[in-house]
Amino acid sequence: MRYLMSIMSSPESEAADYQVGPEVYEAMAKYNEDLVKAGVLLAGEGLAPTAEGAEVVFNDGGVTITDGPFTEAKEFIAGYWVIQVSSRDEALEWAKRVPHPPAGSGAEMKLQLRRIGEPEDMDQMPEELKARERELRNQGY
């Protein structure tokens, strides 16, 4: 089963002057290497600040686009990993190993873990569409 682990940021960590120390990059590189060695990492990326993004809202058949930053939200997805594991417990074990602020720093970091839905999870999805979805996934997406 696949899981998405997303690290959440805050407006403070998205500020233009926010800097990440080299020790954080080293810890993340080590963690990513561990995921690869275990054969569970499918994808993972850090995301640029919301100032470089856009929000697309669909409402009543229309589309509204608002450029970032998104100041109304309190937290954002800062980066993510997609992992393939055998159980929720294994996913939680990997989530607990994500580099995080050390004890005594007072800093908080939030990570969300969510299982990625598979076509088999969608009871109302016609079998033909499930087959098309599986075929697309077999092609490498």
Side-chain angles (χ1 to χ4, degrees):
M1 54 187 67
R2 296 178 304 153
Y3 279 86
L4 171 71
M5 299 190 302
S6 54
I7 289 184
M8 309 309 289
S9 67
S10 65
E12 294 79 24
S13 65
E14 290 225 352
D17 61 347
Y18 182 77
Q19 296 291 320
V20 175
E23 69 282 358
V24 174
Y25 289 116
E26 178 63 34
M28 286 292 183
K30 171 72 171 91
Y31 180 70
N32 290 339
E33 289 168 359
D34 290 347
L35 289 168
V36 170
K37 286 178 187 170
V40 299
L41 182 62
L42 299 177
E45 300 287 346
L47 301 179
T50 64
E52 298 179 29
E55 185 175 72
V56 181
V57 177
F58 302 91
N59 185 10
D60 197 25
V63 178
T64 303
I65 297 174
T66 305
D67 290 333
F70 311 130
T71 56
E72 65 279 358
K74 292 184 178 179
E75 57 187 14
F76 315 94
I77 296 174
Y80 69 92
W81 294 270
V82 176
I83 59 174
Q84 176 96 39
V85 293
S86 61
S87 68
R88 181 177 186 271
D89 286 343
E90 184 180 356
L92 283 169
E93 286 303 315
W94 281 109
K96 290 190 297 187
R97 293 177 55 183
V98 167
H100 52 275
S105 71
E108 180 179 286
M109 185 182 91
K110 185 186 293 183
L111 181 138
Q112 292 184 348
L113 178 70
R114 297 186 59 189
R115 188 174 65 80
I116 296 174
E118 302 293 344
E120 292 72 22
D121 296 330
M122 300 170 200
D123 295 337
Q124 302 302 317
M125 185 179 209
E127 286 302 319
E128 175 190 322
L129 294 178
K130 289 180 183 179
R132 286 171 54 189
E133 183 67 22
R134 284 186 213 102
E135 184 177 323
L136 286 172
R137 292 179 183 197
N138 287 337
Q139 292 175 13
Y141 102 86

